[in-house]
Amino acid sequence: MTSSELWTRATADRYDAEESETSSAAFLEPTLAFLADLAGDGRALEFAIGTGRVGVPLRERGVPVAGIELSEHMAAVLRRKIDEETLPVTIGDMATTVVPGDFTLVYLVYNTITNLLTQDEQVECFRNAARHLAPGGRFVIELGVPPLRFLPPGQVAVPFDVSERHLGFDTFDLVEQILVSHHFTHDGDDDRYRRDASRHRYAWPAELDLMARLAGLELERRVADWSGEPFTENSAKHISVWRKPSR
């Protein structure tokens, strides 16, 4: 097992409700169009498929999808939506687990590569993607740019969400490239908040490009969002596409 922290049953059961906005058809349309175009007539493999927020509608769009998921609880929620024959899921970690066949697309969305807490494991994730790709296939990652410019000396946390029902802050270990996301979520009608925290290893785009080169992949495109806006020094995240050479 890798260093990824396992999602519990309680977290899995409430995940879809908490991600209802990012699971809507309107929100997902640019993501699905981007991925379906890259998959073409081939198969897609989602690393850390979770509850199927992206994988299920991509399969419904006509793209054959398979998944790898570390948490049996997250996979169980997905299985309530779609059967194993239509969308097979293998329980295992995304850095080493191998599924049969090859794919024109492997993708890893929503900052999930940061669940791997060491550089070595993130490198192995790239190698595992390359292992599954047919020649000419693509590996896609969606990842936020580390918001360190918002962390002046003496400040210990950067807020990423301040809304009526949720407060979110990131704290940073700048030596180990580890951030901890702290969530305070208002679940009920009283004044109590549920507190959760998760650890992540952040990485810069250039570091990911080097990981890709170690895996034999070449950067093909980097954009700021699923709609294809240009990536600039002010972009908060990036969608990066690496290609496996045809020979």
Side-chain angles (χ1 to χ4, degrees):
M1 183 181 296
T2 65
S3 59
S4 295
E5 297 172 345
L6 277 170
W7 292 71
T8 65
R9 183 188 301 275
T11 302
D13 285 344
R14 63 173 177 258
Y15 181 83
D16 283 351
E18 293 182 347
E19 294 294 335
S20 58
E21 180 178 348
T22 63
S23 301
S24 69
F27 183 94
L28 284 175
E29 175 55 31
T31 306
L32 300 177
F34 192 106
L35 295 174
D37 180 64
L38 289 181
D41 296 329
R43 303 164 66 216
L45 175 63
E46 180 171 357
F47 284 178
I49 194 170
T51 66
R53 182 183 69 92
V54 173
V56 170
L58 186 62
R59 181 65 185 91
E60 292 171 345
R61 201 180 183 99
V63 177
V65 177
I68 294 173
E69 173 55 44
L70 184 62
S71 169
E72 294 186 23
H73 302 302
M74 295 288 278
V77 174
L78 178 149
R79 194 52 66 218
R80 299 171 197 162
K81 307 172 185 177
I82 194 166
D83 63 81
E84 174 71 17
E85 182 177 355
T86 305
L87 200 166
V89 174
T90 301
I91 301 299
D93 69 83
M94 57 186 164
T96 63
T97 301
V98 177
V99 301
D102 54 20
F103 299 82
T104 56
L105 173 66
V106 177
Y107 65 95
L108 180 54
V109 299
Y110 217 29
N111 302 319
T112 311
I113 194 171
T114 66
N115 290 0
L116 297 168
L117 299 178
T118 70
Q119 185 185 68
D120 286 345
E121 289 177 347
Q122 291 180 352
V123 169
E124 288 306 312
C125 181
F126 272 82
R127 286 178 171 150
N128 200 31
R131 184 180 298 124
H132 286 91
L133 285 172
R138 275 92 169 187
F139 182 35
V140 176
I141 284 182
E142 175 189 23
L143 183 60
V145 176
L148 299 189
R149 63 171 57 182
F150 297 112
L151 193 69
Q155 183 171 312
V156 298
V158 172
F160 60 85
D161 184 34
V162 180
S163 57
E164 183 177 354
R165 303 190 68 86
H166 179 256
L167 303 174
F169 303 89
D170 286 334
T171 55
F172 296 85
D173 179 337
L174 301 180
V175 174
E176 298 296 330
Q177 288 184 213
I178 297 293
L179 70 83
V180 180
S181 289
H182 305 267
H183 301 267
F184 299 83
T185 307
H186 188 208
D187 287 329
D189 297 325
D190 54 27
D191 292 330
R192 290 180 295 179
Y193 280 74
R194 183 185 76 252
R195 179 176 182 176
D196 301 291
S198 58
R199 295 185 300 153
H200 307 267
R201 183 186 186 274
Y202 63 85
W204 301 93
E207 185 180 6
L208 298 184
D209 289 343
L210 183 55
M211 294 181 188
R213 288 178 61 189
L214 292 172
L217 304 176
E218 303 169 346
L219 180 66
E220 182 176 74
R221 179 168 36 145
R222 174 167 292 129
V223 292
D225 58 30
W226 294 107
S227 298
E229 289 298 312
F231 178 74
T232 72
E233 63 180 8
N234 295 316
S235 298
K237 73 172 186 179
H238 60 96
I239 313 298
S240 295
V241 182
W242 297 274
R243 184 176 182 271
K244 184 174 183 176
S246 298
R247 59 178 182 178

